[in-house]
Amino acid sequence: MNFYTIGEREIVLAFKMTGVDGAVAQTRQEVLEAFNRITGRGEGIKLPVESVPKVLILTERAASLIEAEEIEWQKTGKYPLIVEVPGLSGEQSGKKTLTDAIREAVGIQI
């Protein structure tokens, strides 16, 4: 399965050490350009279909910069699937943790 990461430098470098390619993006414009390139949205360089990653890993900070575009993409049901991970400073306030989301969905505490 192919993965790709967009986010802060340290997170992208950590994923690169495990063999996952990525793009360092700090501003909304940088995040949006990388997102559009990977998903094939917008103008510019597009990846060949066979090179499109199956999972796009966004840091919470990067995801918050393109929240509307991310939600729109998720509604299409196309690859890549989007997964958000906390940045170095931890999770952002107001965001559910994975445990909270599972607890809410299943109705039991794990």
Side-chain angles (χ1 to χ4, degrees):
M1 186 173 292
N2 300 345
F3 295 88
Y4 195 84
T5 308
I6 300 173
E8 295 84 62
R9 180 179 173 272
E10 294 80 5
I11 300 295
V12 172
L13 288 175
F15 275 101
K16 280 190 179 192
M17 289 193 296
T18 65
V20 176
D21 200 13
V24 175
Q26 300 290 333
T27 66
R28 173 177 162 66
Q29 186 63 32
E30 291 172 342
V31 173
L32 193 55
E33 285 175 7
F35 180 78
N36 287 341
R37 186 177 66 251
I38 294 303
T39 59
R41 297 182 50 191
E43 299 177 14
I45 301 171
K46 295 183 182 180
L47 296 175
V49 173
E50 63 276 359
S51 299
V52 172
K54 301 296 182 206
V55 179
L56 175 59
I57 302 165
L58 294 174
T59 61
E60 286 181 343
R61 183 176 180 282
S64 70
L65 295 173
I66 59 164
E67 188 171 351
E69 291 85 354
E70 178 187 355
I71 291 169
E72 181 184 324
W73 178 259
Q74 289 174 330
K75 288 179 181 178
T76 67
K78 297 178 186 176
Y79 286 111
L81 302 175
I82 299 174
V83 177
E84 291 183 28
V85 297
L88 289 179
S89 59
E91 63 189 63
Q92 292 183 342
S93 62
K95 290 273 193 172
K96 289 182 190 174
T97 65
L98 179 58
T99 304
D100 291 337
I102 293 171
R103 186 178 301 128
E104 184 178 302
V106 179
I108 60 173
Q109 188 167 343
I110 55 174

